[in-house]
Amino acid sequence: MFLESFGTDALVLLGALLLISGVLVAKFSNRLGLPSLVLFILVGMILGSDGLGLVYFDNAYIAQIIGIFALVIILFEGGLQTKYSTVKAVVVPSVSLATLGVLLTSAIVGWCAYLIFDVTLLEGMLFGAIVGSTDAAAVFATLKERNIKAKMGATLEAESGTNDPMAVFLTISFIELISIPETSIWLLVPSFFWQMGIGLAIGLAVGKLASVSINRINLDSSGLYPIFSVAFALLTFGLASIIGASGFLAVYVAALVIGNSELTYRYSIFQFNEGFAWMAQILMFILLGLLVFPGQLFSLGIILEGLLLSFILMFVARPVAVFLSTIGMKYTLKEKTFLSWAGLRGAVPIVLATFPIVAGLDNAQFFFNVVFFVVLSSALVQGSTISWLAKKLHLTGPKKDNPHHSLELISMGKANAEMVQYKTNADSAIVGKKLHEIAFPNKANISAIVRDEKLITPYGETEIQEGDFLYILVSTRYKEDLKKVLEAKKDASYS
């Protein structure tokens, strides 16, 4: 083996090559029309023992630990980027999909697995639990660059951010029922409410503590603030998990609280966590690709049974779960159809599939291979057609802008002023007005305007246009007043 021949130096070199290949894969994944996670997994499979043979990796326990760590980082970054105002409108359906939806999906797939495989009913239900939830890493990455309607994107992201706890609970519960037959299923019900309730409470508490700490504690280096935020993400997961609560739910809720609070060095924190989440995603999927052996995965039995279960999951279980979970809610037939198709599977089912292996259950390796095949099928078929289906159903929104012309001088930290970035839209009351006509608060000055990737030096006669990026230096004392002016709509008055 390559690593055995050259040792630590080769490991460092391999790590560099994996990250470089991961970044290049992410760059070209959209052009190829494939979700990046599929290409990351393929990189791992190619480098593994059944491919080029550069790395031999079969330690499910290490893969589980690294996978959970990566999921914490990915969930945290997704929560930071989620606006509460957007999620607020879809809280009820998202929670319904994350609980009842996962339960229904797991039950249908589990029953079918029991009928298809030569396994017990409990083992079939364990398989259903493993693939029952959508995946935050897959959904966040797939929707990030696509102009999906805001309501649809918010529903899918909120569901994927909150349904991991249900899948983890069901998976661990069925493993316990299989391993210890005398376990009473009724004793698991209080455990569920404990996990959800305490997980939510810890997330809210640590999220508030983190927001206050980031703003109140003056650190010597601005580079410490992003690390401080990640430390709180890990603290949240650790505190919740150590007392038997849902660490994943706690992390996502804490991130929502932090991301929707006023933060010093906000943009530095967000940019660091976005990059860190990409790195975690690249390494996690490549590692999971290394863990599978293509020679076993692409055997005739796995392919036929995996395709059958993928079909049941995509065309039966997920649609039934979506339509039943959203009864009485304000979703059209087209919207429910899209939600049914966009329920991507990804890292979470694969990581959960390592739990039976670590627990030493019979058929664990077989389940892992089938789960892996189902995830690949979901990512390839559903992930590559999301944008096409959204267009067909007329559920596309405005094109997403990801500006690359941000300023390093976003937060003054110890000073009493901040540089605020704001993008105007068609409804902004300030659009069409000249700077001298806008009643900006005291000690608020527009330092720069970026329009069509060009820097414009503002002066009194400069007219604000739709899509402009405004960079405004404002005293912290008047930041809220500035926010009211910027967020005023055309049909509202401001002065």
Side-chain angles (χ1 to χ4, degrees):
M1 292 296 172
F2 181 77
L3 291 181
E4 292 175 351
S5 301
F6 297 96
T8 305
D9 294 339
L11 183 61
V12 173
L13 176 60
L14 181 63
L17 293 175
L18 290 179
L19 288 175
I20 291 172
S21 61
V23 171
L24 294 177
V25 161
K27 170 68 176 177
F28 294 106
S29 62
N30 279 336
R31 296 184 183 181
L32 296 174
L34 293 173
S36 54
L37 71 92
V38 174
L39 300 181
F40 295 152
I41 288 175
L42 290 178
V43 169
M45 293 170 68
I46 291 171
L47 295 176
S49 56
D50 280 1
L52 298 177
L54 295 179
V55 184
Y56 181 86
F57 180 76
D58 64 351
N59 194 317
Y61 179 68
I62 292 177
Q64 183 183 116
I65 293 174
I66 295 176
I68 290 174
F69 179 86
L71 288 173
V72 169
I73 300 302
I74 293 166
L75 272 174
F76 185 68
E77 191 270 338
L80 287 179
Q81 300 285 354
T82 302
K83 294 183 179 179
Y84 179 70
S85 58
T86 304
V87 173
K88 184 178 180 181
V90 297
V91 167
V92 174
S94 296
V95 171
S96 180
L97 286 168
T99 51
L100 178 60
V102 172
L103 187 62
L104 290 171
T105 302
S106 301
I108 294 172
V109 174
W111 177 257
C112 292
Y114 164 65
L115 297 177
I116 295 170
F117 303 143
D118 184 21
V119 296
T120 66
L121 179 59
L122 281 179
E123 288 176 325
M125 289 301 168
L126 171 60
F127 182 90
I130 291 171
V131 299
S133 71
T134 59
D135 180 57
V139 171
F140 291 160
T142 302
L143 297 183
K144 186 168 288 186
E145 303 297 332
R146 289 167 169 78
N147 55 327
I148 306 299
K149 189 177 178 182
K151 179 183 177 182
M152 295 293 94
T155 303
L156 289 168
E157 290 184 356
E159 177 200 3
S160 64
T162 55
N163 68 3
D164 292 348
M166 186 66 170
V168 173
F169 168 77
L170 290 174
T171 299
I172 294 176
S173 296
F174 282 117
I175 289 176
E176 186 175 343
L177 289 171
I178 294 170
S179 303
I180 311 173
E182 59 271 19
T183 301
S184 172
I185 192 171
W186 299 111
L187 295 178
L188 300 175
V189 176
S191 174
F192 171 76
F193 288 103
W194 170 269
Q195 289 188 38
M196 300 302 112
I198 302 302
L200 176 63
I202 290 177
L204 291 171
V206 178
K208 184 63 177 177
L209 174 64
S211 302
V212 173
S213 299
I214 290 171
N215 288 330
R216 295 283 179 87
I217 299 176
N218 286 328
L219 301 175
D220 293 334
S221 171
S222 60
L224 292 173
Y225 286 94
I227 298 174
F228 203 30
S229 68
V230 172
F232 276 108
L234 299 175
L235 175 67
T236 305
F237 182 85
L239 286 177
S241 299
I242 205 167
I243 60 172
S246 173
F248 289 127
L249 177 62
V251 167
Y252 187 71
V253 171
L256 277 175
V257 174
I258 297 170
N260 287 275
S261 303
E262 292 293 336
L263 298 176
T264 186
Y265 292 104
R266 180 183 185 85
Y267 287 88
S268 297
I269 291 172
F270 277 43
Q271 288 167 2
F272 174 87
N273 277 282
E274 183 178 9
F276 197 19
W278 268 112
M279 186 175 73
Q281 186 178 158
I282 290 170
L283 293 177
M284 174 180 63
F285 282 119
I286 291 178
L287 185 68
L288 294 176
L290 290 172
L291 187 62
V292 72
F293 290 82
Q296 300 175 13
L297 181 66
F298 296 113
S299 63
L300 182 61
I302 296 294
I303 291 175
L304 293 177
E305 292 169 339
L307 285 175
L308 180 56
L309 278 172
S310 295
F311 180 87
I312 293 170
L313 176 62
M314 290 187 281
F315 293 97
V316 180
R318 172 68 179 180
V320 168
V322 168
F323 277 77
L324 291 180
S325 300
T326 55
I327 289 177
M329 302 178 191
K330 297 179 180 179
Y331 286 87
T332 65
L333 177 61
K334 289 183 177 180
E335 290 173 338
K336 290 182 179 181
T337 301
F338 181 76
L339 290 176
S340 299
W341 188 248
L344 299 179
R345 268 60 189 174
V348 170
I350 300 176
V351 172
L352 290 180
T354 65
F355 282 46
I357 296 177
V358 174
L361 298 186
D362 295 336
N363 300 313
Q365 188 61 50
F366 171 72
F367 277 3
F368 179 85
N369 290 332
V370 178
V371 168
F372 204 101
F373 191 89
V374 169
V375 168
L376 277 180
S377 303
S378 171
L380 281 169
V381 178
Q382 294 174 288
S384 61
T385 55
I386 282 181
S387 294
W388 173 83
L389 183 62
K391 291 178 182 177
K392 288 292 183 181
L393 297 177
H394 304 291
L395 295 175
T396 55
K399 185 177 180 180
K400 291 186 178 181
D401 291 292
N402 296 300
H404 300 289
H405 32 69
S406 59
L407 301 179
E408 289 299 322
L409 187 64
I410 295 297
S411 176
M412 300 296 190
K414 298 178 182 179
N416 61 345
E418 290 189 38
M419 184 69 77
V420 174
Q421 175 187 284
Y422 179 79
K423 182 189 176 185
T424 61
N425 55 57
D427 296 328
S428 299
I430 61 175
V431 169
K433 295 183 178 293
K434 296 180 179 179
L435 289 182
H436 69 82
E437 297 174 337
I438 303 173
F440 285 117
N442 294 331
K443 298 184 179 181
N445 298 304
I446 295 186
S447 302
I449 298 175
V450 176
R451 179 180 299 160
D452 298 327
E453 302 295 330
K454 295 180 180 179
L455 181 65
I456 296 174
T457 302
Y459 63 100
E461 293 297 318
T462 301
E463 183 178 300
I464 303 297
Q465 297 182 13
E466 179 184 351
D468 283 353
F469 286 91
L470 310 180
Y471 292 89
I472 307 170
L473 184 62
V474 61
S475 170
T476 304
R477 178 181 176 185
Y478 295 102
K479 187 176 178 181
E480 287 300 318
D481 294 334
L482 173 64
K483 188 175 180 180
K484 292 178 182 178
V485 173
L486 295 176
E487 295 182 352
K489 304 301 181 183
K490 283 188 175 179
D491 58 352
S493 61
Y494 67 94
S495 59

